[in-house]
Amino acid sequence: MANSNQRRFNVSFNPFKERGIAVDKQLRNWQELNVKPYDKNEAHPYTKARIILMNGVEVEGAIFSHQFARNCNDPELKKQLALTRRVEQQQQKTINWLSPGDESPLETTIGYEQVAVDLTAFLAANVPDPYVKQVFDFGLLEDFDHLYRYANLLEMTQGVKAEKLVGKLTEITPGRPTIKEHRHPFDDVRKPMNRMAADPLTKLYTLTLVAGEQQTMNFYMNIGNTLQDQVGRGLYQEIAMIEEQHVTQYESLLDPQTPWIENALLHEYNECWLYWSFLQEETDRHVKPIWELHLGMELTHLQNLGKIAGKMGVDLDQVLPQSLPAPLQFKSQVNYVREILATQIDYNAFETEIGPPDQLPENRRYVECQDLLNAQGAPSEEVIKMNQRKNGQDYRLELAGQHPVKELRQKK
């Protein structure tokens, strides 16, 4: 077990011991925050992915911190939360402002779905908990299909092939069809982990995915009505509802018995880990210093909150590892996704269980949801038919051969 932990944790980087940036040095002026955006034609897809994810992580941090403050009767702790939140809101503005104004909402959406696919696949492949892995794999095939639907909308309406945006890193081909993803809310709630028994990696991975999916849900809720074509508006509406289902399923994995202060520590630790991870991975010389700066800030946030938690009787050694886990990596997941496609394409959910339909109880409420929502068809199906009519076939980027599921192979 010790050797396994050494592989999974970086014993040389203890976020509670590393020197951070003093809090009184962390606020910056408007010129510092209003950073130059990346060139959408030059930036690496995974630089964009890291920006999208960290924007979501900081938004999650703000939402959580406000909720904590509303449930906190300690005036001094509230002040500390407000101070940290103000700095982290500046971080969020900096990160979000890296996205350029000439990138269309639909082009940005392709980036969001590439994040969903390659992030979820990485987490699923490495998470220690087999039940959590199954939940991640289940969501993975649905986000994979969303990428395919949006890519077809992009080609049809803007004449842009999504391969220009994702590179030869992520395939674009059908996943679990979006039309089949609409389930009754009862069947999106999963079994929570036990915070005392769960591996720290499982906690961090789950919190990261909650933040990413929540940001996607928020983005689609607010951007979907800006499209002019009706089928595009419908597609965002349909997929935004699935993203809400994903937030429900991932957040339900978290232990609801976790105390507020412990949850706050987990958020700050997660931000340290992610900024440190991306500092190792980043290749863009303009973006990398931002990860380094924000890491220095987050180290202080974690350490200061740790002192407060200690005074409240929290044993940090029992809550968080003293060494950061191995870095989270954005990398091509073509083979992993194909493996899950080939073996789990027909999986569904009944209450907290996921599996092939013949191993799940009969689910009348799923049928009723399907009949109600898809009574007049679904935008996710219509966009493919429309693009087939326009271009002779649907748009795909299959990097490793034909689709592993025969029924989903391309037809002209």
Side-chain angles (χ1 to χ4, degrees):
M1 187 68 178
N3 289 336
S4 174
N5 283 335
Q6 286 176 2
R7 288 194 299 271
R8 296 191 296 118
F9 291 87
N10 188 301
V11 295
S12 65
F13 196 99
N14 183 335
F16 295 100
K17 302 291 185 182
E18 294 288 330
R19 185 176 181 179
I21 299 171
V23 174
D24 60 0
K25 303 290 186 184
Q26 292 192 9
L27 287 175
R28 291 167 286 166
N29 63 46
W30 305 123
Q31 286 69 34
E32 292 174 294
L33 298 177
N34 194 12
V35 293
K36 182 180 179 181
Y38 58 74
D39 183 329
K40 73 173 188 177
N41 296 311
E42 298 295 333
H44 193 281
Y46 286 156
T47 291
K48 297 178 186 179
R50 286 184 278 269
I51 290 168
I52 289 169
L53 179 58
M54 287 316 302
N55 183 37
V57 167
E58 290 295 356
V59 169
E60 160 62 21
I63 293 172
F64 170 78
S65 181
H66 277 297
Q67 290 295 330
F68 189 3
R70 295 172 195 178
N71 291 273
C72 175
N73 61 4
D74 183 334
E76 292 305 312
L77 178 52
K78 275 192 172 185
K79 289 179 182 178
Q80 289 302 312
L81 290 172
L83 178 59
T84 298
R85 191 166 60 242
R86 184 67 55 84
V87 172
E88 292 185 345
Q89 275 293 282
Q90 287 200 338
Q91 293 175 348
Q92 185 272 331
K93 303 299 181 290
T94 301
I95 295 166
N96 201 24
W97 262 242
L98 285 168
S99 298
D102 65 348
E103 189 173 72
S104 73
L106 191 46
E107 288 175 317
T108 304
T109 295
I110 297 298
Y112 268 77
E113 293 300 343
Q114 185 174 29
V115 169
V117 171
D118 289 342
L119 172 67
T120 308
F122 174 85
L123 300 178
N126 291 283
V127 71
D129 187 303
Y131 177 76
V132 174
K133 171 180 164 50
Q134 178 62 85
V135 175
F136 287 1
D137 284 336
F138 188 62
L140 167 64
L141 293 193
E142 300 190 341
D143 282 320
F144 188 68
D145 193 72
H146 301 167
L147 176 59
Y148 164 69
R149 309 287 161 174
Y150 281 127
N152 275 268
L153 180 65
L154 180 67
E155 182 186 48
M156 183 177 71
T157 59
Q158 297 183 22
V160 176
K161 293 185 182 296
E163 60 207 65
K164 178 182 176 183
L165 306 176
V166 302
K168 292 185 177 180
L169 299 167
T170 308
E171 289 197 302
I172 300 174
T173 192
R176 180 177 302 114
T178 297
I179 193 173
K180 296 183 178 181
E181 298 170 11
H182 308 294
R183 296 177 292 274
H184 190 281
F186 291 175
D187 298 319
D188 290 318
V189 178
R190 308 288 170 245
K191 292 184 290 189
M193 67 185 77
N194 182 316
R195 82 181 204 278
M196 302 302 293
D199 190 292
L201 276 181
T202 301
K203 298 179 187 179
L204 295 175
Y205 283 9
T206 303
L207 184 58
T208 299
L209 199 48
V210 168
E213 290 290 322
Q214 177 179 255
Q215 180 60 19
T216 304
M217 176 187 73
N218 292 341
F219 182 65
Y220 293 171
M221 282 196 298
N222 287 288
I223 207 70
N225 66 348
T226 65
L227 273 73
Q228 295 184 6
D229 60 286
Q230 211 56 21
V231 69
R233 293 167 69 91
L235 184 64
Y236 271 90
Q237 219 174 49
E238 182 182 359
I239 293 180
M241 293 299 293
I242 300 299
E243 300 302 347
E244 193 280 330
Q245 292 181 210
H246 286 180
V247 176
T248 296
Q249 86 160 351
Y250 295 137
E251 71 186 7
S252 62
L253 292 170
L254 298 168
D255 187 343
Q257 301 300 318
T258 305
W260 280 99
I261 187 64
E262 189 175 314
N263 224 330
L265 284 166
L266 183 62
H267 276 77
E268 296 298 344
Y269 187 99
N270 197 47
E271 289 169 14
C272 286
W273 171 58
L274 289 171
Y275 280 126
W276 175 80
S277 294
F278 293 165
L279 182 59
Q280 318 305 310
E281 300 293 315
E282 189 57 68
T283 58
D284 190 301
R285 62 187 180 90
H286 296 294
V287 176
K288 189 167 185 172
I290 294 174
W291 304 147
E292 184 175 23
L293 175 65
H294 290 184
L295 172 60
M297 295 174 174
E298 294 297 346
L299 288 170
T300 301
H301 298 171
L302 175 64
Q303 291 163 12
N304 288 349
L305 188 63
K307 293 174 184 176
I308 294 172
K311 293 178 182 178
M312 297 171 65
V314 176
D315 184 348
L316 294 179
D317 290 338
Q318 296 298 313
V319 175
L320 296 165
Q322 296 300 296
S323 300
L324 290 181
L328 184 149
Q329 297 176 312
F330 275 105
K331 59 183 182 180
S332 183
Q333 301 287 345
V334 170
N335 292 336
Y336 183 84
V337 174
R338 279 184 165 255
E339 175 189 339
I340 304 304
L341 275 172
T343 57
Q344 300 187 26
I345 192 68
D346 64 337
Y347 278 25
N348 210 334
F350 178 79
E351 297 189 352
T352 61
E353 298 307 312
I354 294 169
D358 60 1
Q359 295 181 20
L360 296 174
E362 183 180 352
N363 193 347
R364 183 62 197 167
R365 59 179 175 241
Y366 173 73
V367 175
E368 290 172 351
C369 275
Q370 287 280 298
D371 290 346
L372 173 65
L373 294 170
N374 300 320
Q376 298 182 37
S380 57
E381 294 292 309
E382 185 62 24
V383 71
I384 302 301
K385 294 175 184 175
M386 290 178 68
N387 199 33
Q388 286 172 331
R389 287 195 293 269
K390 181 176 182 179
N391 292 303
Q393 60 185 15
D394 58 330
Y395 172 76
R396 301 186 181 206
L397 176 64
E398 295 178 335
L399 301 168
Q402 62 184 353
H403 200 290
V405 179
K406 184 177 180 180
E407 293 76 17
L408 296 178
R409 290 174 185 166
Q410 193 170 43
K411 304 177 183 67
K412 292 187 178 182

